[in-house]
């Protein structure tokens, strides 16, 4: 869930995709498919990306070009070039992150020295029902309505106030609601009716741990551009086509399903089931809404990406619509994926800290 609030765009790809008005034909990529910015680094990224998608090297019989993987029209995800990073940008990011956490604490979390609006919000929702399952679903419904509603209004909002201002508004409203929902789940995850108890069965813990670990590689495919998340760089709506997108076009939805199933299996009660139903339902809607918004923004280019990807993991590959390049593994040997691995391990070992912090809020 936090991924859909804070982390939404891969690292530093500053080109502007522009597509021709006429139907795209199968031939070698040219500048008709990408308009790079004036920066040299963007041109280098574009040249490197287009070189990966060329249709042949002329080495076939009779000098005829030999086709390779289908021509890509989307962006290369998880690209991160350390040499292109600016220290000033990351100083800004650190300052913005600190300011956001400070405001979140004072305005939403701290009911002693701050406003503590989060407690009032939880009390208001909890007052609607004595059932923890109902309250859990209501919290998810509120978050989902606000989050998906603002996402649907993104184009209009950006035209009115600009990309950076709308991102601040989006995160400023969504983040407190997400934190409240997560804290409530942590505090009440064992309060429901026990439906099954599998925690003592051998290998169940390992299965749940491994499933949760894998889910983060799906949950955060678009989390790499933290500078866009914090509006240091101008936020963009990206059309990704490499990496995890070859497996599923909606990896965040798939990752959420895996996470929910794993935790529901482990906890085994009605609150966990309610949380999973709410979260999975929200992400299924998000997959439909995301396709709708990308179709509006990118038109025929999105249609081509959609034709060779699938929502169900591996379906496009098994159907022959997606041909993995021979060096596909290289699309994952990148710093952002290493960061996800480290952060996932850190989150696992930080579970006691997160639980203690949630308990202190008494939500």
């Amino acid at each position: 869930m936090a991924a859909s609030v804070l982390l939404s765009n891969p690292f530093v790809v500053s080109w502007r995709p522009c597509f021709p008005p006429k139907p795209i034909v199968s031939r070698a990529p040219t500048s008709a498919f990408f308009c790079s910015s004036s920066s040299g680094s963007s041109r280098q990224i574009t040249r490197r990306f287009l070189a990966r998608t060329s249709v042949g090297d002329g080495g076939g019989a009779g000098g005829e070009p030999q086709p390779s993987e289908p021509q890509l029209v989307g962006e290369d995800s998880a690209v991160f070039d350390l040499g292109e990073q600016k220290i000033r940008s990351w100083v800004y990011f650190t300052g913005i992150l600190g300011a956001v956490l400070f405001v979140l604490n004072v305005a939403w979390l701290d009911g002693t020295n701050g406003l503590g609006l989060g407690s009032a919000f939880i009390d208001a929702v909890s007052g609607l029902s004595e059932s923890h399952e109902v309250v859990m679903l209501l919290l998810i419904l509120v978050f989902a309505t606000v989050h998906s509603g603002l996402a649907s209004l993104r184009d209009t909002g950006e035209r009115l106030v600009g990309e950076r201002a709308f991102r601040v508004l989006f995160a400023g409203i969504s983040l407190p609601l997400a934190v409240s929902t997560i804290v409530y789940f942590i505090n009440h995850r064992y309060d429901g009716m026990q439906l099954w108890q599998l925690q003592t069965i051998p290998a169940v813990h390992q299965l749940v741990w491994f499933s949760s670990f894998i889910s983060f590689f799906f949950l955060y495919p678009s989390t790499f551009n933290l500078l866009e998340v914090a509006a240091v760089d101008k936020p963009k709506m990206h059309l990704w086509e490499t990496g995890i997108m070859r497996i599923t076009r909606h990896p965040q939805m798939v990752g959420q399903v895996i996470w929910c199933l794993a935790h529901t299996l482990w906890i085994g009660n009605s609150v966990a089931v309610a949380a999973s139903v709410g979260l999975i339902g929200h992400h299924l809607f998000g997959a439909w809404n995301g396709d709708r918004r990308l179709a509006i923004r990118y038109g025929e280019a999105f249609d081509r990406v959609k034709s060779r990807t699938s929502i169900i993991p591996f379906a496009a590959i098994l159907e022959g619509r997606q041909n993995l390049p021979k060096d596909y593994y290289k699309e994952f040997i990148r710093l952002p994926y290493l960061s996800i691995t480290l952060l996932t391990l850190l989150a696992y070992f930080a579970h006691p800290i997160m639980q203690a912090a949630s308990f202190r809020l008494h939500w």
Side-chain angles (χ1 to χ4, degrees):
M1 181 191 304
S4 55
V5 183
L6 286 174
L7 307 171
S8 57
N9 297 295
F11 258 114
V12 188
V13 182
S14 55
W15 2 302
R16 298 177 291 105
C18 66
F19 304 96
K22 297 180 180 180
I24 300 173
V25 296
S26 298
R27 58 174 176 256
T30 67
S31 59
F33 297 102
F34 291 94
C35 293
S36 65
S37 67
S38 58
S39 65
S41 61
S42 296
R43 288 193 296 270
Q44 292 174 1
I45 293 175
T46 304
R47 286 196 299 269
R48 181 168 65 246
F49 180 67
L50 294 180
R52 283 173 40 79
T53 61
S54 60
V55 296
D57 57 8
E64 292 294 329
Q66 296 300 306
S68 58
E69 63 178 291
Q71 175 181 298
L72 302 181
V73 297
E75 297 180 35
D76 194 6
S77 63
V79 172
F80 181 79
D81 190 336
L82 188 61
E84 296 175 1
Q85 305 306 304
K86 298 178 180 179
I87 296 178
R88 180 177 60 182
S89 296
W90 288 102
V91 171
Y92 287 158
F93 170 80
T94 303
I96 292 172
L97 179 61
V100 168
L101 294 178
F102 175 78
V103 173
L104 178 66
N105 182 64
V106 172
W108 199 257
L109 302 178
D110 191 349
T112 303
N113 302 313
L115 297 177
L117 299 177
S119 295
F121 171 68
I122 292 294
D123 291 342
V125 177
S126 299
L128 298 176
S129 175
E130 296 182 355
S131 168
H132 296 302
E133 294 84 353
V134 172
V135 174
M136 187 77 255
L137 285 171
L138 288 174
L139 289 172
I140 294 175
L141 178 62
V142 172
F143 167 77
T145 302
V146 171
H147 186 265
S148 294
L150 287 174
S152 298
L153 295 173
R154 177 174 180 173
D155 288 343
T156 302
E158 289 182 344
R159 285 195 298 268
L160 293 175
V161 301
E163 292 88 344
R164 287 187 171 89
F166 186 80
R167 173 55 59 87
V168 172
L169 176 66
F170 178 84
I173 298 176
S174 299
L175 179 59
L177 298 177
V179 170
S180 298
T181 306
I182 293 170
V183 170
Y184 187 88
F185 173 73
I186 292 175
N187 286 348
H188 297 280
R189 67 194 187 281
Y190 288 119
D191 290 346
M193 179 185 301
Q194 197 68 35
L195 303 175
W196 59 80
Q197 179 59 261
L198 305 178
Q199 295 183 5
T200 58
I201 296 179
V204 169
H205 178 268
Q206 289 78 1
L207 174 63
V208 171
W209 186 93
F210 180 75
S211 299
S212 300
F213 182 84
I214 294 298
S215 74
F216 277 77
F217 286 90
F218 286 89
L219 272 169
Y220 299 120
S222 304
T223 62
F224 306 133
N225 193 354
L226 299 179
L227 297 181
E228 283 189 25
V229 173
V232 176
D233 287 347
K234 184 181 292 186
K236 305 175 184 67
M237 183 184 293
H238 295 277
L239 180 64
W240 309 114
E241 198 177 355
T242 64
I244 200 73
M245 296 295 178
R246 297 182 185 272
I247 296 175
T248 171
R249 189 169 67 253
H250 289 287
Q252 186 168 320
M253 181 272 292
V254 173
Q256 188 67 75
V257 170
I258 295 174
W259 187 93
C260 286
L261 293 179
H263 282 73
T264 301
L265 175 68
W266 180 253
I267 298 172
N269 67 14
S270 54
V271 170
V273 171
S276 293
V277 169
L279 289 173
I280 292 174
H282 170 46
H283 281 76
L284 288 174
F285 172 81
W288 170 83
N289 197 35
D291 276 355
R292 181 186 66 84
R293 293 167 56 222
L294 286 171
I296 294 173
R297 176 68 67 95
Y298 290 103
E300 185 180 355
F302 172 71
D303 291 338
R304 291 195 61 181
V305 172
K306 183 178 180 180
S307 69
R308 55 190 179 220
T309 57
S310 60
I311 296 178
I312 300 176
F314 302 103
I317 298 173
L318 295 176
E319 293 169 1
R321 295 186 287 114
Q322 173 68 241
N323 297 319
L324 298 180
K326 293 181 180 179
D327 59 349
Y328 177 54
Y329 68 93
K330 293 182 180 178
E331 296 180 0
F332 291 90
I333 306 179
R334 292 172 172 175
L335 182 60
Y337 282 107
L338 174 61
S339 300
I340 288 177
T341 302
L342 296 177
L343 289 174
T344 302
L345 293 173
L346 179 63
Y348 173 75
F349 291 110
H351 268 57
I353 299 175
M354 292 187 291
Q355 293 168 8
S358 297
F359 293 155
R360 284 199 294 270
L361 291 173
H362 303 292
W363 288 358

